[in-house]
Amino acid sequence: MSNVSISRAAANENIPAFAIEVAGVSAGLALRERGGFSFFAADPRFRILDGSRFRRLAQLEEAARSLARATGV
């Protein structure tokens, strides 16, 4: 299973953005927005999620993990 790493700063509501890493790859940035998070891809392998909105951080984690498994990251 691919390891997803999300900055612990995400728990702090004053932090508007944080990095998402999957298996040591900088997948992209998550931006805190009203009602959830938006994902912006930094790596082309995660571009399919670019601009996606997630209500909860756990949903973003699962989407990144699933995509990593599907693409062999």
mmCIF file of all heavy atoms in Angstrom, residues 10-64:
data_model
loop_
_atom_site.group_PDB
_atom_site.id
_atom_site.type_symbol
_atom_site.label_atom_id
_atom_site.label_comp_id
_atom_site.label_asym_id
_atom_site.label_seq_id
_atom_site.Cartn_x
_atom_site.Cartn_y
_atom_site.Cartn_z
ATOM 1 N N ALA A 10 -1.965 20.524 8.986
ATOM 2 C CA ALA A 10 -3.326 20.526 8.438
ATOM 3 C C ALA A 10 -4.370 20.572 9.544
ATOM 4 O O ALA A 10 -5.474 21.061 9.345
ATOM 5 C CB ALA A 10 -3.543 19.293 7.579
ATOM 6 N N ALA A 11 -4.020 20.090 10.712
ATOM 7 C CA ALA A 11 -4.958 20.101 11.826
ATOM 8 C C ALA A 11 -5.149 21.510 12.376
ATOM 9 O O ALA A 11 -6.137 21.788 13.038
ATOM 10 C CB ALA A 11 -4.457 19.174 12.933
ATOM 11 N N ASN A 12 -4.213 22.397 12.091
ATOM 12 C CA ASN A 12 -4.296 23.777 12.551
ATOM 13 C C ASN A 12 -5.134 24.579 11.566
ATOM 14 O O ASN A 12 -4.748 24.767 10.428
ATOM 15 C CB ASN A 12 -2.880 24.360 12.671
ATOM 16 C CG ASN A 12 -2.878 25.775 13.172
ATOM 17 O OD1 ASN A 12 -3.871 26.497 13.087
ATOM 18 N ND2 ASN A 12 -1.749 26.191 13.698
ATOM 19 N N GLU A 13 -6.271 25.056 11.987
ATOM 20 C CA GLU A 13 -7.181 25.754 11.079
ATOM 21 C C GLU A 13 -6.631 27.066 10.547
ATOM 22 O O GLU A 13 -7.190 27.629 9.617
ATOM 23 C CB GLU A 13 -8.523 25.977 11.769
ATOM 24 C CG GLU A 13 -9.263 24.678 11.982
ATOM 25 C CD GLU A 13 -10.636 24.881 12.561
ATOM 26 O OE1 GLU A 13 -11.160 26.010 12.479
ATOM 27 O OE2 GLU A 13 -11.183 23.919 13.086
ATOM 28 N N ASN A 14 -5.541 27.555 11.111
ATOM 29 C CA ASN A 14 -4.941 28.806 10.632
ATOM 30 C C ASN A 14 -4.016 28.587 9.442
ATOM 31 O O ASN A 14 -3.601 29.542 8.803
ATOM 32 C CB ASN A 14 -4.173 29.497 11.757
ATOM 33 C CG ASN A 14 -5.112 29.937 12.862
ATOM 34 O OD1 ASN A 14 -6.207 30.409 12.595
ATOM 35 N ND2 ASN A 14 -4.681 29.769 14.091
ATOM 36 N N ILE A 15 -3.675 27.341 9.145
ATOM 37 C CA ILE A 15 -2.790 27.024 8.027
ATOM 38 C C ILE A 15 -3.658 26.788 6.791
ATOM 39 O O ILE A 15 -4.449 25.857 6.746
ATOM 40 C CB ILE A 15 -1.940 25.766 8.315
ATOM 41 C CG1 ILE A 15 -1.162 25.917 9.615
ATOM 42 C CG2 ILE A 15 -1.029 25.454 7.133
ATOM 43 C CD1 ILE A 15 -0.107 26.995 9.601
ATOM 44 N N PRO A 16 -3.513 27.629 5.751
ATOM 45 C CA PRO A 16 -4.392 27.506 4.589
ATOM 46 C C PRO A 16 -3.980 26.459 3.555
ATOM 47 O O PRO A 16 -4.795 26.045 2.740
ATOM 48 C CB PRO A 16 -4.352 28.895 3.967
ATOM 49 C CG PRO A 16 -2.999 29.413 4.340
ATOM 50 C CD PRO A 16 -2.704 28.821 5.707
ATOM 51 N N ALA A 17 -2.712 26.019 3.570
ATOM 52 C CA ALA A 17 -2.249 25.077 2.548
ATOM 53 C C ALA A 17 -1.173 24.177 3.133
ATOM 54 O O ALA A 17 -0.459 24.564 4.058
ATOM 55 C CB ALA A 17 -1.683 25.827 1.352
ATOM 56 N N PHE A 18 -1.053 22.983 2.570
ATOM 57 C CA PHE A 18 -0.015 22.061 3.017
ATOM 58 C C PHE A 18 0.289 21.062 1.922
ATOM 59 O O PHE A 18 -0.515 20.852 1.017
ATOM 60 C CB PHE A 18 -0.417 21.352 4.310
ATOM 61 C CG PHE A 18 -1.784 20.730 4.255
ATOM 62 C CD1 PHE A 18 -1.927 19.400 3.964
ATOM 63 C CD2 PHE A 18 -2.910 21.494 4.482
ATOM 64 C CE1 PHE A 18 -3.186 18.829 3.893
ATOM 65 C CE2 PHE A 18 -4.174 20.926 4.424
ATOM 66 C CZ PHE A 18 -4.300 19.592 4.130
ATOM 67 N N ALA A 19 1.471 20.459 2.013
ATOM 68 C CA ALA A 19 1.945 19.533 0.986
ATOM 69 C C ALA A 19 1.394 18.132 1.206
ATOM 70 O O ALA A 19 1.215 17.692 2.333
ATOM 71 C CB ALA A 19 3.470 19.486 1.004
ATOM 72 N N ILE A 20 1.154 17.436 0.094
ATOM 73 C CA ILE A 20 0.725 16.032 0.103
ATOM 74 C C ILE A 20 1.835 15.229 -0.561
ATOM 75 O O ILE A 20 2.227 15.525 -1.683
ATOM 76 C CB ILE A 20 -0.569 15.826 -0.709
ATOM 77 C CG1 ILE A 20 -1.687 16.745 -0.233
ATOM 78 C CG2 ILE A 20 -0.986 14.360 -0.694
ATOM 79 C CD1 ILE A 20 -2.233 16.424 1.126
ATOM 80 N N GLU A 21 2.338 14.225 0.147
ATOM 81 C CA GLU A 21 3.350 13.330 -0.412
ATOM 82 C C GLU A 21 2.811 11.911 -0.413
ATOM 83 O O GLU A 21 2.159 11.495 0.534
ATOM 84 C CB GLU A 21 4.631 13.380 0.412
ATOM 85 C CG GLU A 21 5.401 14.661 0.267
ATOM 86 C CD GLU A 21 6.748 14.601 0.961
ATOM 87 O OE1 GLU A 21 7.142 13.513 1.445
ATOM 88 O OE2 GLU A 21 7.399 15.644 1.033
ATOM 89 N N VAL A 22 3.106 11.196 -1.486
ATOM 90 C CA VAL A 22 2.709 9.796 -1.603
ATOM 91 C C VAL A 22 3.952 9.011 -1.980
ATOM 92 O O VAL A 22 4.560 9.273 -3.016
ATOM 93 C CB VAL A 22 1.613 9.598 -2.674
ATOM 94 C CG1 VAL A 22 1.250 8.134 -2.794
ATOM 95 C CG2 VAL A 22 0.384 10.435 -2.357
ATOM 96 N N ALA A 23 4.323 8.068 -1.134
ATOM 97 C CA ALA A 23 5.501 7.223 -1.372
ATOM 98 C C ALA A 23 6.735 8.063 -1.701
ATOM 99 O O ALA A 23 7.477 7.745 -2.623
ATOM 100 C CB ALA A 23 5.207 6.211 -2.473
ATOM 101 N N GLY A 24 6.912 9.168 -0.987
ATOM 102 C CA GLY A 24 8.074 10.025 -1.185
ATOM 103 C C GLY A 24 7.981 10.962 -2.375
ATOM 104 O O GLY A 24 8.921 11.690 -2.662
ATOM 105 N N VAL A 25 6.864 10.962 -3.076
ATOM 106 C CA VAL A 25 6.656 11.825 -4.242
ATOM 107 C C VAL A 25 5.785 13.008 -3.824
ATOM 108 O O VAL A 25 4.749 12.820 -3.186
ATOM 109 C CB VAL A 25 5.950 11.054 -5.389
ATOM 110 C CG1 VAL A 25 5.591 11.973 -6.534
ATOM 111 C CG2 VAL A 25 6.814 9.910 -5.859
ATOM 112 N N SER A 26 6.210 14.220 -4.173
ATOM 113 C CA SER A 26 5.394 15.405 -3.896
ATOM 114 C C SER A 26 4.216 15.407 -4.858
ATOM 115 O O SER A 26 4.334 15.822 -6.005
ATOM 116 C CB SER A 26 6.222 16.682 -4.065
ATOM 117 O OG SER A 26 7.220 16.737 -3.086
ATOM 118 N N ALA A 27 3.072 14.926 -4.374
ATOM 119 C CA ALA A 27 1.889 14.789 -5.221
ATOM 120 C C ALA A 27 1.251 16.131 -5.525
ATOM 121 O O ALA A 27 0.807 16.383 -6.637
ATOM 122 C CB ALA A 27 0.870 13.875 -4.552
ATOM 123 N N GLY A 28 1.191 17.008 -4.526
ATOM 124 C CA GLY A 28 0.569 18.307 -4.742
ATOM 125 C C GLY A 28 0.306 19.045 -3.454
ATOM 126 O O GLY A 28 0.850 18.715 -2.405
ATOM 127 N N LEU A 29 -0.555 20.038 -3.551
ATOM 128 C CA LEU A 29 -0.923 20.866 -2.415
ATOM 129 C C LEU A 29 -2.415 20.746 -2.144
ATOM 130 O O LEU A 29 -3.218 20.674 -3.073
ATOM 131 C CB LEU A 29 -0.615 22.339 -2.692
ATOM 132 C CG LEU A 29 0.840 22.725 -2.829
ATOM 133 C CD1 LEU A 29 0.949 24.181 -3.251
ATOM 134 C CD2 LEU A 29 1.578 22.492 -1.530
ATOM 135 N N ALA A 30 -2.761 20.770 -0.878
ATOM 136 C CA ALA A 30 -4.162 20.819 -0.467
ATOM 137 C C ALA A 30 -4.405 22.207 0.108
ATOM 138 O O ALA A 30 -3.648 22.674 0.952
ATOM 139 C CB ALA A 30 -4.452 19.760 0.575
ATOM 140 N N LEU A 31 -5.422 22.859 -0.380
ATOM 141 C CA LEU A 31 -5.790 24.178 0.126
ATOM 142 C C LEU A 31 -7.081 24.070 0.915
ATOM 143 O O LEU A 31 -8.073 23.535 0.421
ATOM 144 C CB LEU A 31 -5.990 25.167 -1.022
ATOM 145 C CG LEU A 31 -4.781 25.452 -1.897
ATOM 146 C CD1 LEU A 31 -5.153 26.442 -2.993
ATOM 147 C CD2 LEU A 31 -3.633 25.990 -1.063
ATOM 148 N N ARG A 32 -7.038 24.600 2.121
ATOM 149 C CA ARG A 32 -8.237 24.608 2.951
ATOM 150 C C ARG A 32 -9.189 25.662 2.403
ATOM 151 O O ARG A 32 -8.794 26.799 2.159
ATOM 152 C CB ARG A 32 -7.877 24.936 4.393
ATOM 153 C CG ARG A 32 -9.054 24.845 5.348
ATOM 154 C CD ARG A 32 -8.654 25.245 6.743
ATOM 155 N NE ARG A 32 -7.521 24.501 7.250
ATOM 156 C CZ ARG A 32 -7.583 23.311 7.828
ATOM 157 N NH1 ARG A 32 -8.741 22.703 7.945
ATOM 158 N NH2 ARG A 32 -6.503 22.717 8.279
ATOM 159 N N GLU A 33 -10.408 25.280 2.171
ATOM 160 C CA GLU A 33 -11.439 26.191 1.684
ATOM 161 C C GLU A 33 -12.691 25.969 2.510
ATOM 162 O O GLU A 33 -12.796 24.981 3.226
ATOM 163 C CB GLU A 33 -11.734 25.927 0.206
ATOM 164 C CG GLU A 33 -10.547 26.183 -0.679
ATOM 165 C CD GLU A 33 -10.861 25.976 -2.142
ATOM 166 O OE1 GLU A 33 -11.854 25.303 -2.484
ATOM 167 O OE2 GLU A 33 -10.087 26.482 -2.949
ATOM 168 N N ARG A 34 -13.625 26.860 2.366
ATOM 169 C CA ARG A 34 -14.878 26.702 3.099
ATOM 170 C C ARG A 34 -15.494 25.352 2.743
ATOM 171 O O ARG A 34 -15.692 25.035 1.578
ATOM 172 C CB ARG A 34 -15.836 27.806 2.720
ATOM 173 C CG ARG A 34 -17.152 27.722 3.480
ATOM 174 C CD ARG A 34 -18.115 28.735 2.998
ATOM 175 N NE ARG A 34 -17.631 30.065 3.330
ATOM 176 C CZ ARG A 34 -18.385 31.021 3.816
ATOM 177 N NH1 ARG A 34 -19.669 30.815 3.983
ATOM 178 N NH2 ARG A 34 -17.884 32.190 4.098
ATOM 179 N N GLY A 35 -15.754 24.573 3.745
ATOM 180 C CA GLY A 35 -16.410 23.285 3.529
ATOM 181 C C GLY A 35 -15.494 22.162 3.109
ATOM 182 O O GLY A 35 -15.972 21.085 2.758
ATOM 183 N N GLY A 36 -14.179 22.353 3.117
ATOM 184 C CA GLY A 36 -13.305 21.248 2.758
ATOM 185 C C GLY A 36 -11.942 21.659 2.247
ATOM 186 O O GLY A 36 -11.367 22.641 2.692
ATOM 187 N N PHE A 37 -11.457 20.888 1.276
ATOM 188 C CA PHE A 37 -10.109 21.051 0.751
ATOM 189 C C PHE A 37 -10.123 20.920 -0.766
ATOM 190 O O PHE A 37 -10.870 20.118 -1.308
ATOM 191 C CB PHE A 37 -9.190 19.953 1.311
ATOM 192 C CG PHE A 37 -9.126 19.931 2.802
ATOM 193 C CD1 PHE A 37 -10.044 19.202 3.537
ATOM 194 C CD2 PHE A 37 -8.162 20.648 3.479
ATOM 195 C CE1 PHE A 37 -9.999 19.181 4.920
ATOM 196 C CE2 PHE A 37 -8.106 20.636 4.860
ATOM 197 C CZ PHE A 37 -9.026 19.900 5.583
ATOM 198 N N SER A 38 -9.276 21.680 -1.428
ATOM 199 C CA SER A 38 -9.058 21.532 -2.866
ATOM 200 C C SER A 38 -7.640 21.027 -3.078
ATOM 201 O O SER A 38 -6.714 21.438 -2.375
ATOM 202 C CB SER A 38 -9.221 22.875 -3.590
ATOM 203 O OG SER A 38 -10.571 23.251 -3.602
ATOM 204 N N PHE A 39 -7.479 20.148 -4.056
ATOM 205 C CA PHE A 39 -6.172 19.565 -4.347
ATOM 206 C C PHE A 39 -5.634 20.140 -5.651
ATOM 207 O O PHE A 39 -6.355 20.252 -6.639
ATOM 208 C CB PHE A 39 -6.288 18.040 -4.482
ATOM 209 C CG PHE A 39 -4.994 17.373 -4.811
ATOM 210 C CD1 PHE A 39 -4.029 17.170 -3.843
ATOM 211 C CD2 PHE A 39 -4.727 16.961 -6.099
ATOM 212 C CE1 PHE A 39 -2.816 16.570 -4.157
ATOM 213 C CE2 PHE A 39 -3.532 16.351 -6.425
ATOM 214 C CZ PHE A 39 -2.574 16.161 -5.449
ATOM 215 N N PHE A 40 -4.347 20.490 -5.631
ATOM 216 C CA PHE A 40 -3.667 20.992 -6.820
ATOM 217 C C PHE A 40 -2.412 20.155 -7.038
ATOM 218 O O PHE A 40 -1.513 20.135 -6.207
ATOM 219 C CB PHE A 40 -3.334 22.484 -6.666
ATOM 220 C CG PHE A 40 -4.582 23.305 -6.571
ATOM 221 C CD1 PHE A 40 -5.139 23.600 -5.341
ATOM 222 C CD2 PHE A 40 -5.231 23.730 -7.721
ATOM 223 C CE1 PHE A 40 -6.323 24.317 -5.245
ATOM 224 C CE2 PHE A 40 -6.410 24.451 -7.642
ATOM 225 C CZ PHE A 40 -6.954 24.744 -6.400
ATOM 226 N N ALA A 41 -2.377 19.440 -8.149
ATOM 227 C CA ALA A 41 -1.300 18.488 -8.437
ATOM 228 C C ALA A 41 0.025 19.190 -8.721
ATOM 229 O O ALA A 41 0.077 20.196 -9.413
ATOM 230 C CB ALA A 41 -1.681 17.623 -9.626
ATOM 231 N N ALA A 42 1.087 18.615 -8.176
ATOM 232 C CA ALA A 42 2.441 19.063 -8.463
ATOM 233 C C ALA A 42 3.146 18.050 -9.367
ATOM 234 O O ALA A 42 4.054 18.398 -10.103
ATOM 235 C CB ALA A 42 3.233 19.236 -7.165
ATOM 236 N N ASP A 43 2.715 16.808 -9.298
ATOM 237 C CA ASP A 43 3.301 15.727 -10.087
ATOM 238 C C ASP A 43 2.279 15.299 -11.147
ATOM 239 O O ASP A 43 1.103 15.132 -10.832
ATOM 240 C CB ASP A 43 3.628 14.552 -9.153
ATOM 241 C CG ASP A 43 4.366 13.443 -9.866
ATOM 242 O OD1 ASP A 43 3.716 12.723 -10.662
ATOM 243 O OD2 ASP A 43 5.574 13.284 -9.625
ATOM 244 N N PRO A 44 2.714 15.124 -12.381
ATOM 245 C CA PRO A 44 1.784 14.759 -13.462
ATOM 246 C C PRO A 44 0.978 13.490 -13.190
ATOM 247 O O PRO A 44 -0.132 13.350 -13.680
ATOM 248 C CB PRO A 44 2.689 14.571 -14.679
ATOM 249 C CG PRO A 44 3.970 15.206 -14.352
ATOM 250 C CD PRO A 44 4.082 15.271 -12.864
ATOM 251 N N ARG A 45 1.509 12.577 -12.402
ATOM 252 C CA ARG A 45 0.794 11.332 -12.106
ATOM 253 C C ARG A 45 -0.461 11.567 -11.264
ATOM 254 O O ARG A 45 -1.336 10.715 -11.200
ATOM 255 C CB ARG A 45 1.725 10.334 -11.411
ATOM 256 C CG ARG A 45 2.833 9.853 -12.346
ATOM 257 C CD ARG A 45 3.852 9.048 -11.608
ATOM 258 N NE ARG A 45 4.685 9.951 -10.817
ATOM 259 C CZ ARG A 45 5.797 9.585 -10.199
ATOM 260 N NH1 ARG A 45 6.198 8.329 -10.252
ATOM 261 N NH2 ARG A 45 6.500 10.452 -9.516
ATOM 262 N N PHE A 46 -0.556 12.744 -10.649
ATOM 263 C CA PHE A 46 -1.710 13.067 -9.807
ATOM 264 C C PHE A 46 -2.604 14.129 -10.451
ATOM 265 O O PHE A 46 -3.537 14.622 -9.835
ATOM 266 C CB PHE A 46 -1.239 13.520 -8.418
ATOM 267 C CG PHE A 46 -0.589 12.404 -7.657
ATOM 268 C CD1 PHE A 46 0.779 12.178 -7.765
ATOM 269 C CD2 PHE A 46 -1.344 11.552 -6.874
ATOM 270 C CE1 PHE A 46 1.375 11.136 -7.093
ATOM 271 C CE2 PHE A 46 -0.754 10.501 -6.199
ATOM 272 C CZ PHE A 46 0.612 10.290 -6.306
ATOM 273 N N ARG A 47 -2.332 14.441 -11.704
ATOM 274 C CA ARG A 47 -3.075 15.497 -12.403
ATOM 275 C C ARG A 47 -4.575 15.196 -12.507
ATOM 276 O O ARG A 47 -5.387 16.105 -12.538
ATOM 277 C CB ARG A 47 -2.490 15.738 -13.791
ATOM 278 C CG ARG A 47 -2.997 17.022 -14.370
ATOM 279 C CD ARG A 47 -2.070 17.768 -15.260
ATOM 280 N NE ARG A 47 -0.654 17.699 -15.076
ATOM 281 C CZ ARG A 47 0.058 18.598 -14.358
ATOM 282 N NH1 ARG A 47 -0.542 19.590 -13.777
ATOM 283 N NH2 ARG A 47 1.358 18.488 -14.280
ATOM 284 N N ILE A 48 -4.943 13.936 -12.530
ATOM 285 C CA ILE A 48 -6.364 13.591 -12.622
ATOM 286 C C ILE A 48 -7.142 14.115 -11.411
ATOM 287 O O ILE A 48 -8.345 14.376 -11.500
ATOM 288 C CB ILE A 48 -6.564 12.074 -12.811
ATOM 289 C CG1 ILE A 48 -7.987 11.776 -13.269
ATOM 290 C CG2 ILE A 48 -6.220 11.315 -11.551
ATOM 291 C CD1 ILE A 48 -8.182 10.376 -13.784
ATOM 292 N N LEU A 49 -6.469 14.309 -10.291
ATOM 293 C CA LEU A 49 -7.119 14.840 -9.087
ATOM 294 C C LEU A 49 -7.048 16.365 -9.016
ATOM 295 O O LEU A 49 -7.653 16.970 -8.131
ATOM 296 C CB LEU A 49 -6.465 14.260 -7.829
ATOM 297 C CG LEU A 49 -6.612 12.757 -7.607
ATOM 298 C CD1 LEU A 49 -5.840 12.334 -6.361
ATOM 299 C CD2 LEU A 49 -8.065 12.371 -7.501
ATOM 300 N N ASP A 50 -6.314 16.975 -9.938
ATOM 301 C CA ASP A 50 -6.101 18.420 -9.916
ATOM 302 C C ASP A 50 -7.432 19.171 -9.923
ATOM 303 O O ASP A 50 -8.289 18.929 -10.774
ATOM 304 C CB ASP A 50 -5.260 18.847 -11.120
ATOM 305 C CG ASP A 50 -4.729 20.249 -10.990
ATOM 306 O OD1 ASP A 50 -4.094 20.546 -9.969
ATOM 307 O OD2 ASP A 50 -4.973 21.045 -11.913
ATOM 308 N N GLY A 51 -7.601 20.060 -8.958
ATOM 309 C CA GLY A 51 -8.823 20.854 -8.861
ATOM 310 C C GLY A 51 -9.964 20.165 -8.130
ATOM 311 O O GLY A 51 -11.011 20.766 -7.912
ATOM 312 N N SER A 52 -9.762 18.904 -7.741
ATOM 313 C CA SER A 52 -10.811 18.176 -7.021
ATOM 314 C C SER A 52 -11.019 18.766 -5.635
ATOM 315 O O SER A 52 -10.084 19.234 -4.992
ATOM 316 C CB SER A 52 -10.438 16.699 -6.872
ATOM 317 O OG SER A 52 -10.383 16.075 -8.129
ATOM 318 N N ARG A 53 -12.270 18.729 -5.194
ATOM 319 C CA ARG A 53 -12.616 19.203 -3.857
ATOM 320 C C ARG A 53 -13.006 18.007 -2.993
ATOM 321 O O ARG A 53 -13.675 17.086 -3.474
ATOM 322 C CB ARG A 53 -13.758 20.199 -3.919
ATOM 323 C CG ARG A 53 -13.346 21.496 -4.589
ATOM 324 C CD ARG A 53 -14.452 22.514 -4.513
ATOM 325 N NE ARG A 53 -15.012 22.606 -3.161
ATOM 326 C CZ ARG A 53 -14.724 23.572 -2.288
ATOM 327 N NH1 ARG A 53 -13.920 24.527 -2.621
ATOM 328 N NH2 ARG A 53 -15.278 23.577 -1.098
ATOM 329 N N PHE A 54 -12.588 18.051 -1.751
ATOM 330 C CA PHE A 54 -12.876 16.983 -0.805
ATOM 331 C C PHE A 54 -13.436 17.599 0.467
ATOM 332 O O PHE A 54 -12.909 18.590 0.962
ATOM 333 C CB PHE A 54 -11.596 16.195 -0.474
ATOM 334 C CG PHE A 54 -10.993 15.541 -1.679
ATOM 335 C CD1 PHE A 54 -10.064 16.217 -2.456
ATOM 336 C CD2 PHE A 54 -11.371 14.265 -2.049
ATOM 337 C CE1 PHE A 54 -9.516 15.631 -3.583
ATOM 338 C CE2 PHE A 54 -10.823 13.665 -3.173
ATOM 339 C CZ PHE A 54 -9.893 14.348 -3.937
ATOM 340 N N ARG A 55 -14.473 17.017 0.964
ATOM 341 C CA ARG A 55 -15.095 17.545 2.178
ATOM 342 C C ARG A 55 -14.203 17.322 3.394
ATOM 343 O O ARG A 55 -14.099 18.172 4.273
ATOM 344 C CB ARG A 55 -16.445 16.885 2.382
ATOM 345 C CG ARG A 55 -17.181 17.464 3.530
ATOM 346 C CD ARG A 55 -18.600 17.039 3.519
ATOM 347 N NE ARG A 55 -19.324 18.136 4.125
ATOM 348 C CZ ARG A 55 -20.602 18.247 4.125
ATOM 349 N NH1 ARG A 55 -21.329 17.351 3.540
ATOM 350 N NH2 ARG A 55 -21.180 19.259 4.703
ATOM 351 N N ARG A 56 -13.567 16.148 3.423
ATOM 352 C CA ARG A 56 -12.691 15.815 4.553
ATOM 353 C C ARG A 56 -11.305 15.434 4.050
ATOM 354 O O ARG A 56 -11.146 14.899 2.957
ATOM 355 C CB ARG A 56 -13.288 14.658 5.345
ATOM 356 C CG ARG A 56 -14.569 15.047 6.088
ATOM 357 C CD ARG A 56 -15.042 13.930 6.993
ATOM 358 N NE ARG A 56 -15.253 12.693 6.263
ATOM 359 C CZ ARG A 56 -16.421 12.300 5.780
ATOM 360 N NH1 ARG A 56 -17.480 13.031 5.932
ATOM 361 N NH2 ARG A 56 -16.512 11.156 5.141
ATOM 362 N N LEU A 57 -10.323 15.679 4.883
ATOM 363 C CA LEU A 57 -8.949 15.345 4.553
ATOM 364 C C LEU A 57 -8.788 13.850 4.317
ATOM 365 O O LEU A 57 -8.039 13.429 3.436
ATOM 366 C CB LEU A 57 -8.022 15.821 5.670
ATOM 367 C CG LEU A 57 -6.541 15.784 5.403
ATOM 368 C CD1 LEU A 57 -6.184 16.551 4.145
ATOM 369 C CD2 LEU A 57 -5.785 16.336 6.588
ATOM 370 N N ALA A 58 -9.510 13.036 5.055
ATOM 371 C CA ALA A 58 -9.424 11.580 4.883
ATOM 372 C C ALA A 58 -9.845 11.163 3.475
ATOM 373 O O ALA A 58 -9.300 10.201 2.918
ATOM 374 C CB ALA A 58 -10.290 10.874 5.921
ATOM 375 N N GLN A 59 -10.784 11.878 2.885
ATOM 376 C CA GLN A 59 -11.208 11.570 1.518
ATOM 377 C C GLN A 59 -10.098 11.890 0.525
ATOM 378 O O GLN A 59 -9.871 11.142 -0.421
ATOM 379 C CB GLN A 59 -12.466 12.356 1.163
ATOM 380 C CG GLN A 59 -13.676 11.924 1.947
ATOM 381 C CD GLN A 59 -14.839 12.871 1.776
ATOM 382 O OE1 GLN A 59 -14.678 14.084 1.733
ATOM 383 N NE2 GLN A 59 -16.030 12.308 1.654
ATOM 384 N N LEU A 60 -9.397 12.982 0.740
ATOM 385 C CA LEU A 60 -8.267 13.347 -0.118
ATOM 386 C C LEU A 60 -7.166 12.302 0.007
ATOM 387 O O LEU A 60 -6.602 11.862 -0.994
ATOM 388 C CB LEU A 60 -7.754 14.727 0.277
ATOM 389 C CG LEU A 60 -6.783 15.401 -0.680
ATOM 390 C CD1 LEU A 60 -6.792 16.897 -0.437
ATOM 391 C CD2 LEU A 60 -5.410 14.868 -0.598
ATOM 392 N N GLU A 61 -6.888 11.891 1.226
ATOM 393 C CA GLU A 61 -5.877 10.856 1.460
ATOM 394 C C GLU A 61 -6.211 9.575 0.700
ATOM 395 O O GLU A 61 -5.343 8.996 0.048
ATOM 396 C CB GLU A 61 -5.773 10.521 2.952
ATOM 397 C CG GLU A 61 -5.168 11.605 3.788
ATOM 398 C CD GLU A 61 -5.210 11.248 5.256
ATOM 399 O OE1 GLU A 61 -6.247 10.766 5.735
ATOM 400 O OE2 GLU A 61 -4.192 11.471 5.921
ATOM 401 N N GLU A 62 -7.437 9.139 0.802
ATOM 402 C CA GLU A 62 -7.839 7.897 0.133
ATOM 403 C C GLU A 62 -7.763 8.024 -1.383
ATOM 404 O O GLU A 62 -7.334 7.095 -2.071
ATOM 405 C CB GLU A 62 -9.241 7.469 0.561
ATOM 406 C CG GLU A 62 -9.678 6.157 -0.045
ATOM 407 C CD GLU A 62 -8.716 5.003 0.210
ATOM 408 O OE1 GLU A 62 -8.090 4.944 1.282
ATOM 409 O OE2 GLU A 62 -8.577 4.152 -0.695
ATOM 410 N N ALA A 63 -8.154 9.169 -1.923
ATOM 411 C CA ALA A 63 -8.073 9.378 -3.376
ATOM 412 C C ALA A 63 -6.619 9.331 -3.841
ATOM 413 O O ALA A 63 -6.307 8.703 -4.857
ATOM 414 C CB ALA A 63 -8.713 10.709 -3.755
ATOM 415 N N ALA A 64 -5.726 9.972 -3.111
ATOM 416 C CA ALA A 64 -4.307 9.963 -3.475
ATOM 417 C C ALA A 64 -3.720 8.559 -3.358
ATOM 418 O O ALA A 64 -2.968 8.119 -4.228
ATOM 419 C CB ALA A 64 -3.532 10.945 -2.592
#
